[in-house]
């Protein structure tokens, strides 16, 4: 099991310690490092991430504010020199709270806790369908039949193997409901079913006769899913 993680920490020495510890654990895959919460928040909203190593004091957007703003379903290990934020961190359901300076053994304990939580999630029954609001009813849509979802101003059009469905549901709602390993956001106007991709050429995804663009915002997250 590979766990995609990021570091959000503004102290260079603390960044290096974290990177060194992460490299010692083969199941951790470090995607990138941020020295501020704003850039990290943008990345988290566009890229599938399993685990965040998060400092509290990281500029104008603190670690706590980032958690409150994002409300993302992922594992978070807070790393800070201040113990007064511990209660607030656990109110936000963080995985663990490491107080600087910490040992590799303590880091390992926190990482193993995150790994355990993610393993339980992976073992949960696979989602097979969603209900979509369309006109005056809720329509059941099998995930295995979806080809891609297209944005059309205020509407989203779901292209399936057998029909097209128009809905006012937002991309954000779809992203919260469907695991990215099944249907992934690749552009501000498109989500694609990973198993329906025929080919990828020059950042264009081919599904049947349709060519769907991959934007810079979503490129890294998308390729992180398909290139293991």
């Amino acid at each position: 099991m590979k766990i995609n993680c990021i570091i959000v920490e503004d102290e260079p020495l603390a960044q290096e310690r974290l990177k060194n510890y992460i490299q010692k654990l083969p199941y951790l895959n470090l995607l990138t490092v941020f020295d501020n919460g704003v850039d990290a928040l943008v990345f988290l909203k566009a890229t599938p991430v399993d685990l965040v190593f998060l400092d509290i004091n990281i500029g104008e957007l603190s670690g706590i504010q980032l958690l409150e703003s994002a409300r993302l379903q992922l594992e978070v290990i807070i790393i800070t020199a201040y113990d007064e934020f511990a209660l607030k961190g656990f109110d936000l359901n963080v995985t663990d709270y490491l107080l600087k300076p910490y040992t590799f053994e303590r880091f390992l304990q926190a990482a193993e806790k995150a790994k355990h939580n993610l393993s339980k999630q992976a073992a949960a029954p696979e989602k097979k369908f969603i209900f979509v609001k369309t006109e005056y009813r809720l329509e059941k849509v099998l995930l295995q039949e979806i080809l891609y979802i297209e944005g059309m101003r205020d509407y989203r059009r779901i292209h399936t193997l057998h029909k097209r469905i128009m809905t006012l549901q937002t991309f954000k709602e779809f992203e919260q409901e469907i695991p990215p390993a099944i249907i992934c956001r690749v552009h501000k106007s498109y989500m694609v079913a990973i198993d329906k991709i025929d080919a990828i050429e020059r950042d264009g995804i081919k599904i049947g006769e349709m060519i769907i663009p991959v934007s810079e915002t979503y490129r890294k997250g998308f390729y992180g899913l398909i290139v293991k």
Side-chain angles (χ1 to χ4, degrees), residues 6 37 39-52 65-76 92-95 121 172 175-176:
I6 66 170
D39 289 343
L41 181 59
V42 172
F43 184 85
L44 287 169
K45 286 184 176 295
T47 309
V49 174
D50 303 309
L51 170 62
V52 179
Q65 290 171 324
L66 187 153
L67 288 179
E68 292 174 332
S69 300
R71 293 292 181 182
L72 298 168
Q73 298 300 312
L74 44 73
E75 300 296 306
V76 177
L92 291 168
N93 200 31
V94 303
T95 308
Q121 294 171 25
K172 184 175 181 180
E175 288 178 283
Q176 291 173 340

Side-chain angles (χ1 to χ4, degrees), residues 9 26 30 47 53 65-68 94 114 148 162 179 200 207:
E9 166 67 73
L30 180 62
T47 309
F53 294 98
Q65 290 171 324
L66 187 153
L67 288 179
E68 292 174 332
V94 303
Y148 60 93
H162 307 294
I200 303 168
I207 298 180

Side-chain angles (χ1 to χ4, degrees), residues 186-190 192 202-205 210-215:
V186 297
H187 188 276
K188 67 177 182 179
S189 299
Y190 289 99
V192 300
R202 298 178 181 175
D203 288 326
I205 298 169
M210 181 68 178
I211 303 295
I212 296 167
V214 181
S215 71

Side-chain angles (χ1 to χ4, degrees), residues 193-225:
I194 299 296
D195 68 342
K196 301 301 189 299
I197 296 173
D198 295 316
I200 303 168
E201 297 178 1
R202 298 178 181 175
D203 288 326
I205 298 169
K206 190 173 188 296
I207 298 180
E209 298 302 315
M210 181 68 178
I211 303 295
I212 296 167
V214 181
S215 71
E216 182 66 33
T217 301
Y218 299 98
R219 180 178 292 114
K220 190 166 187 176
F222 169 64
Y223 282 105
L225 284 172

Side-chain angles (χ1 to χ4, degrees), residues 121-181:
Q121 294 171 25
E126 182 181 347
K127 191 162 191 173
K128 297 183 182 299
F129 59 85
I130 58 173
F131 282 95
V132 175
K133 302 170 191 172
T134 174
E135 296 179 345
Y136 301 105
R137 68 182 186 275
L138 289 172
E139 185 163 348
K140 182 178 179 179
V141 181
L142 298 177
L143 296 183
Q144 66 181 12
E145 294 190 351
I146 295 176
L147 299 171
Y148 60 93
I149 304 173
E150 178 184 11
M152 304 180 69
R153 295 190 178 181
D154 294 334
Y155 291 88
R156 254 52 56 198
R157 176 182 284 169
I158 304 172
H159 297 255
T160 77
L161 293 171
H162 307 294
K163 58 185 175 181
R164 292 182 294 183
I165 302 166
M166 294 292 287
T167 178
L168 284 169
Q169 285 182 224
T170 65
F171 278 120
K172 184 175 181 180
E173 289 174 316
F174 285 126
E175 288 178 283
Q176 291 173 340
E177 198 170 3
I178 307 171

Side-chain angles (χ1 to χ4, degrees), residues 50-91:
D50 303 309
L51 170 62
V52 179
F53 294 98
L54 178 65
D55 190 13
I56 295 295
N57 295 322
I58 45 173
E60 59 182 296
L61 184 70
S62 72
I64 295 296
Q65 290 171 324
L66 187 153
L67 288 179
E68 292 174 332
S69 300
R71 293 292 181 182
L72 298 168
Q73 298 300 312
L74 44 73
E75 300 296 306
V76 177
I77 297 174
I78 287 181
I79 300 176
T80 181
Y82 305 96
D83 59 4
E84 62 263 31
F85 296 107
L87 184 59
K88 181 63 175 177
F90 285 109
D91 283 343

